[in-house]
Amino acid sequence: MKDIFDLVGRILLSFIFFFEAYDYFAYERLNKEAMTIYGLTWNQDFFLYGAILLLLFGALTILFGYRMRLGAVLLLIYWIPLTFIVHDFWAEEPSSNAYRLQSIFFMKNIAIMGGLLIAATHISGKYRLRRLFATTNV
């Protein structure tokens, strides 16, 4: 049962990063506009496509349970600055809806960072890529 929960947890954790990569790709123009609003005007293509690659690679490592520490660190390299730059609830008026919404998003991202830290220190169960290669005669 532990191995099933490990697999389901890795699927659920990786899903948010796959979705974020898809969103960045599908709404490229809107994301570049958002980057401009947050002051990131230099080399937007590099940062946008770099973020997509980090998200995809990190999500794949978490999903397959292979090199999860590397994937989690790459995702944290992306996720930590994003959280503190985009969800700066402390810059909003405390009684506003924006304050409440940004603080919820900030705490959600903090929880995701906690999941990534757990993934970085965790060895996947029997449903992982390395184990599948070790048990087959390829």
Side-chain angles (χ1 to χ4, degrees), residues 17-96:
F17 303 113
F18 283 125
F19 182 78
E20 185 110 0
Y22 162 76
D23 183 76
Y24 280 0
F25 187 75
Y27 299 101
E28 177 183 356
R29 184 182 56 78
L30 293 174
N31 284 305
K32 286 183 181 179
E33 288 174 11
M35 291 167 81
T36 302
I37 290 169
Y38 288 107
L40 186 60
T41 56
W42 179 77
N43 215 346
Q44 288 182 336
D45 286 334
F46 171 75
F47 286 112
L48 183 67
Y49 294 117
I52 291 170
L53 286 175
L54 281 176
L55 288 165
L56 289 175
F57 183 75
L60 285 171
T61 63
I62 299 293
L63 178 64
F64 292 132
Y66 182 74
R67 305 270 184 199
M68 283 188 3
R69 181 171 293 134
L70 172 64
V73 167
L74 291 176
L75 288 168
L76 284 168
I77 288 170
Y78 162 78
W79 208 255
I80 291 171
L82 171 87
T83 299
F84 284 93
I85 292 170
V86 175
H87 303 300
D88 56 346
F89 66 94
W90 52 88
E92 302 290 339
E93 180 66 34
S95 61
S96 69

Side-chain angles (χ1 to χ4, degrees), residues 91-108:
E92 302 290 339
E93 180 66 34
S95 61
S96 69
N97 283 335
Y99 177 87
R100 187 173 150 264
L101 187 63
Q102 290 303 324
S103 63
I104 290 170
F105 287 149
F106 182 85
M107 293 310 295
K108 173 201 57 108

